[in-house]
Amino acid sequence: DVKVTQSSRYLVKRTGEKVFLECVQDMDHENMFWYRQDPGLGLRLIYFSYDVKMKEKGDIPEGYSVSREKKERFSLILESASTNQTSMYLCASSLSTRTGGVDIQYFGAGTRLSVL
Amino acid sequence: AQTVTQSQPEMSVQEAETVTLSCTYDTSENNYYLFWYKQPPSRQMILVIRQEAYKQQNATENRFSVNFQKAAKSFSLKISDSQLGDTAMYFCAFMKHFGNEKLTFGTGTRLTIIP
């Protein structure tokens, strides 16, 4: 079975703290994604990675960075957490289909982050 | 850039009834994929159904089917014989065919199945 695991379901942090959200997939997928989910806004892409050490900005990268040192792990970093980063964060992974075909994303359970 | 619009923030329906969730999108691409994802309360998002734009035939998966109107850029999801387990947020999503494997999501529809 496909598995995408996010290390925490709930996190509470203080403004200004450095926050790490971890995501691990066991499917040998090339692509990994970080989304932010807010009511009324749907899911918005923060960053994605199509290979180890490779990353690309998504639609809302400001205030975030990422790290992908190993194929199975993709970390989202909030360098200095702010209250407007309180949100649900979803990680996803998918197999690369650069020759075409359907590329299904598999999601983790999400991390609900509160920044106080 | 692509946009995906779900105009129904919330819907509710009696158990065993049929419900249709609407989705429209805007793109200049000719080849692409469309998806419906389901996010049950406090559970993981899972794929419900997908449609390739080059296929004229509407996709079906058991009780779930889509009405894909390419010219109108419309992609609605029909759930037949609705069950309590269908209660969830439903997201419509768009993906280009080649070279770009990012999903663009709509804002979601919260569907409640009433016993």
Side-chain angles (χ1 to χ4, degrees), chain B residues 61-113:
Chain B
E61 288 286 342
N62 301 313
R63 298 182 295 108
F64 298 87
S65 61
V66 298
N67 182 3
F68 173 49
Q69 303 287 332
K70 190 173 184 180
K73 296 181 181 175
S74 170
F75 182 60
S76 61
L77 174 70
K78 184 172 85 170
I79 307 174
S80 303
D81 185 25
S82 57
Q83 301 174 359
L84 296 180
D86 296 333
T87 292
M89 280 290 288
Y90 287 83
F91 291 96
C92 178
F94 172 100
M95 180 191 292
K96 285 192 216 178
H97 185 67
F98 273 113
N100 181 335
E101 290 149 342
K102 297 182 289 185
L103 283 170
T104 300
F105 284 89
T107 53
T109 296
R110 184 176 301 279
L111 176 64
T112 302
I113 308 301

Side-chain angles (χ1 to χ4, degrees), chain A residues 74-94:
Chain A
F74 192 36
S75 303
L76 180 69
I77 303 157
L78 287 66
E79 294 288 343
S80 177
S82 63
T83 54
N84 62 13
Q85 292 178 310
T86 291
S87 187
M88 170 72 88
Y89 291 88
L90 295 176
C91 175
S93 73
S94 68

Side-chain angles (χ1 to χ4, degrees), chain B:
Chain B
Q2 287 66 233
T3 59
V4 178
T5 301
Q6 294 179 250
S7 58
Q8 305 152 310
E10 294 189 20
M11 297 184 73
S12 60
V13 66
Q14 293 289 137
E15 190 177 6
E17 290 186 349
T18 294
V19 61
T20 298
L21 281 58
S22 66
C23 173
T24 59
Y25 59 94
D26 189 25
T27 184
S28 58
E29 302 286 327
N30 191 48
N31 293 320
Y32 49 87
Y33 300 101
L34 294 163
F35 304 84
W36 279 98
Y37 275 88
K38 169 185 177 181
Q39 185 181 41
S42 301
R43 291 176 60 190
Q44 276 167 277
M45 183 111 65
I46 56 173
L47 179 69
V48 175
I49 200 166
R50 66 190 184 208
Q51 174 81 41
E52 291 89 340
Y54 62 87
K55 289 186 178 178
Q56 290 191 337
Q57 187 172 6
N58 289 325
T60 62
E61 288 286 342
N62 301 313
R63 298 182 295 108
F64 298 87
S65 61
V66 298
N67 182 3
F68 173 49
Q69 303 287 332
K70 190 173 184 180
K73 296 181 181 175
S74 170
F75 182 60
S76 61
L77 174 70
K78 184 172 85 170
I79 307 174
S80 303
D81 185 25
S82 57
Q83 301 174 359
L84 296 180
D86 296 333
T87 292
M89 280 290 288
Y90 287 83
F91 291 96
C92 178
F94 172 100
M95 180 191 292
K96 285 192 216 178
H97 185 67
F98 273 113
N100 181 335
E101 290 149 342
K102 297 182 289 185
L103 283 170
T104 300
F105 284 89
T107 53
T109 296
R110 184 176 301 279
L111 176 64
T112 302
I113 308 301
I114 303 166

Side-chain angles (χ1 to χ4, degrees), chain A residues 1-114:
Chain A
D1 244 6
V2 167
K3 200 151 178 81
V4 179
T5 303
Q6 294 185 231
S7 53
S8 306
R9 288 300 302 270
Y10 301 94
L11 271 180
V12 180
K13 297 292 181 181
R14 296 283 180 190
T15 303
E17 278 192 75
K18 190 168 186 176
V19 181
F20 292 87
L21 303 183
E22 305 288 344
C23 175
V24 177
Q25 50 93 5
D26 65 357
M27 298 159 289
D28 203 34
H29 282 172
E30 290 85 0
N31 305 320
M32 296 189 75
F33 307 83
W34 274 107
Y35 294 93
R36 172 177 171 157
Q37 181 180 0
D38 299 288
L41 297 178
L43 278 74
R44 294 177 291 167
L45 183 64
I46 303 171
Y47 267 97
F48 71 104
S49 168
Y50 52 88
D51 202 350
V52 176
K53 297 190 186 294
M54 305 300 288
K55 62 184 179 184
E56 284 195 26
K57 293 180 180 179
D59 300 318
I60 51 165
E62 296 79 17
Y64 304 94
S65 62
V66 290
S67 172
R68 192 164 180 204
E69 296 296 319
K70 293 184 178 180
K71 190 175 185 179
E72 67 269 20
R73 186 179 297 270
F74 192 36
S75 303
L76 180 69
I77 303 157
L78 287 66
E79 294 288 343
S80 177
S82 63
T83 54
N84 62 13
Q85 292 178 310
T86 291
S87 187
M88 170 72 88
Y89 291 88
L90 295 176
C91 175
S93 73
S94 68
L95 193 63
S96 176
T97 58
R98 298 196 185 283
T99 56
V102 179
D103 184 20
I104 298 169
Q105 290 189 19
Y106 297 89
F107 284 82
T111 296
R112 188 168 294 282
L113 173 67
S114 296

